[in-house]
Amino acid sequence: MKELTKREEQIMEIVWRLQEAFIRDIVNEFPEPQPHYNTVATIVKILEKKGVLQSEMIGNSNQYRPTQDFAAYREEYLESVKEKFFDNSLPKMLAHFAKKEKLSESEKEELIRIIKSK
């Protein structure tokens, strides 16, 4: 699992939504004040080196697309969190979030129902 910085994740969220994008497309998706083109281009190159983006030359510009969809990334990310912080234990991970979120009785019942259905 390749760890992404907050800004890298912001850029990836845009690319996942657009499916394919040029640097200018990515910059335009940011709210004001938008980051500088060169800043985004640098981060996109880092993401390409990390293997989460791939590029294709279209005319004289690179068009970027994700190497995996968001669902696959989320799965990989959550698996790494489970391994890193919860000794690779799903029950420990679920217990942590259940305690932290202060689940209502109906939410607890729903969680139990989901677990039993698997």
Side-chain angles (χ1 to χ4, degrees), residues 66-118:
T67 57
Q68 64 181 171
D69 65 15
F70 175 73
Y73 171 77
R74 178 181 56 200
E75 197 71 31
E76 198 175 297
Y77 181 80
L78 289 174
E79 191 64 34
S80 73
V81 167
K82 183 178 78 169
E83 290 172 10
K84 189 175 189 177
F85 297 107
F86 301 101
D87 299 323
N88 205 27
S89 168
L90 183 59
K92 286 181 184 178
M93 187 171 159
L94 289 175
H96 168 80
F97 289 109
K99 288 176 190 173
K100 182 159 178 45
E101 294 297 317
K102 297 182 173 84
L103 298 175
S104 69
E105 283 306 311
S106 65
E107 289 171 321
K108 289 176 190 175
E109 289 170 9
E110 180 183 353
L111 186 56
I112 290 168
R113 195 170 38 257
I114 291 168
I115 291 169
K116 285 183 177 179
S117 72
K118 295 292 172 184

Side-chain angles (χ1 to χ4, degrees), residues 1-2 6 13 17 24-25 32 34 45 48 57 67 78 97 104 106:
M1 169 73 204
K2 293 168 180 65
K6 182 176 180 173
E13 286 172 8
R17 190 173 61 251
R24 177 65 51 210
D25 299 328
E32 293 293 337
Q34 293 176 330
K45 287 292 179 198
E48 193 173 19
M57 185 64 85
T67 57
L78 289 174
F97 289 109
S104 69
S106 65

Side-chain angles (χ1 to χ4, degrees), residues 1-73:
M1 169 73 204
K2 293 168 180 65
E3 297 281 330
L4 300 181
T5 66
K6 182 176 180 173
R7 189 57 112 183
E8 289 170 347
E9 282 185 353
Q10 288 175 319
I11 288 172
M12 285 306 301
E13 286 172 8
I14 291 168
V15 177
W16 278 315
R17 190 173 61 251
L18 298 177
Q19 291 300 303
E20 49 188 36
F22 295 97
I23 302 294
R24 177 65 51 210
D25 299 328
I26 298 168
V27 171
N28 289 338
E29 290 292 313
F30 276 94
E32 293 293 337
Q34 293 176 330
H36 192 273
Y37 181 96
N38 290 339
T39 302
V40 173
T42 299
I43 296 170
V44 165
K45 287 292 179 198
I46 291 167
L47 289 166
E48 193 173 19
K49 285 181 185 169
K50 286 184 173 184
V52 294
L53 284 180
Q54 59 188 9
S55 65
E56 177 184 356
M57 185 64 85
I58 309 271
N60 62 353
S61 298
N62 279 318
Q63 185 179 54
Y64 298 91
R65 68 180 51 86
T67 57
Q68 64 181 171
D69 65 15
F70 175 73
Y73 171 77

